[in-house]
Amino acid sequence: MPAFRLDGKTALVTGASSGLGAHFARVLANAGAAVVLAARRQEQLAEQVAAINDAGGSARALTLDVTDPDGVQQAMSALSADGGFDVLINNAGIAGEPKKFLDTDEDDWQRVVDTNLNGAWRMAREAARHWVAHGTPGVMVNVASIYGLRTGALKVAYNVSKTGVIQLTRSMAIELVRNDIRVNALCPGWFLTALNADYFATESGQRYTRTIPMKRLGTMEELDGPLLLLASDAGSYMTGTEITVDGGIAHAPI
Ligand code: NAI
């Protein structure tokens, strides 16, 4: 399926030092893209970069904290001057501490919203500015969540941040369509990563797993097809939309 290939493209993935982001970088590299892995933790990034290069791909690291406006601008200017990029996978995110709404304090709220929503907005704006300045097309995939479409208990800030990412996706898509920039969102259900490993090790986490219509968590490979569809020319008529990959959670009876 040549339309799903990314040969000759450069893809930037944020939050690529672990979990879904590291996996997405490998998938994009296997599809032929040169990948730039961005995150805060240099050692973990170096390991992921080496694994892709050792497997015959092309990868490099970009140290970047999505909550740091100056740092993002500097990193993105450097990347822009160093050949640029064609695809942004806006993936960096945190879960925040599970808390009741009444117990949420300023710090809980700010940390989650600043990383998941403000960080995604900041990266998206810099990417779009880069593509518009160079007159080149661009593709953005924003990693939202099933909790951007429905609520999840003890995670008000997370729910709101991911709903914001979906609205950001729709709003940007309509403005940027004239610049040949496509923007879509990927909404995963539950996939075992560092973000949620502690929770799924508990009795409550295992009980929750049994409420998923498919009665199991997703495997990262089950996101590969949807990711490549949105990132490649196979999705050339898609913009401003979201794809849900959740084992049926979105429509499960409560
Ligand atoms: P993870 O904790 O394994 O990975 C998150 C990545 O984001 C890490 O590389 C971390 O270093 C990076 N990151 C966090 N804050 C950052 C910052 N300020 N600047 C730069 N990088 C930063 O978690 P996971 O599960 O891989 O999550 C990735 C994305 O997928 C997140 O946006 C998350 O909300 C989303 N997601 C995950 C689901 C899951 O079941 N694992 C389900 C739905 C959405």
Side-chain angles (χ1 to χ4, degrees), residues 15 17-18 20 40 65-66 91 144 158 162 188-189 191 193 195-196:
S17 57
S18 64
L20 299 183
R40 297 162 301 178
D65 179 340
V66 300
N91 165 81
Y158 187 82
K162 293 299 188 177
F191 293 78
T193 64
L195 198 76
N196 53 34

Side-chain angles (χ1 to χ4, degrees), residues 171-232:
S171 308
M172 287 192 299
I174 298 312
E175 178 174 328
L176 297 173
V177 75
R178 74 198 65 162
N179 301 107
D180 206 3
I181 296 170
R182 294 194 300 107
V183 191
N184 291 293
L186 187 59
C187 297
W190 286 105
F191 293 78
L192 194 65
T193 64
L195 198 76
N196 53 34
D198 289 349
Y199 173 65
F200 283 110
T202 65
E203 176 52 35
S204 152
Q206 284 164 22
R207 223 178 16 252
Y208 179 81
T209 304
R210 294 192 285 275
T211 70
I212 298 172
M214 288 196 181
K215 309 273 184 240
R216 64 173 178 87
L217 304 181
T219 66
M220 293 202 209
E221 292 71 24
E222 289 172 312
L223 288 167
D224 298 359
L227 176 80
L228 286 176
L229 171 64
L230 296 180
S232 71

Side-chain angles (χ1 to χ4, degrees), residues 55-137:
S58 164
R60 63 200 148 117
L62 184 69
T63 309
L64 167 157
D65 179 340
V66 300
T67 66
D68 172 9
D70 292 342
V72 165
Q73 276 202 348
Q74 279 161 20
M76 294 295 273
S77 299
L79 184 58
S80 203
D82 187 21
F85 56 98
D86 310 280
V87 177
L88 167 65
I89 312 294
N90 225 343
N91 165 81
I94 56 172
E97 213 187 309
K99 275 194 181 175
K100 287 186 174 160
F101 169 67
L102 289 176
D103 299 331
T104 309
D105 63 27
E106 286 283 340
D107 189 51
D108 300 324
W109 180 267
Q110 294 295 351
R111 264 183 355 101
V112 172
V113 172
D114 201 27
T115 305
N116 297 0
L117 179 56
N118 300 350
W121 163 78
R122 194 167 286 130
M123 289 300 303
R125 190 191 57 177
E126 290 311 307
R129 283 181 173 170
H130 165 78
W131 292 321
V132 171
H134 289 81
T136 52

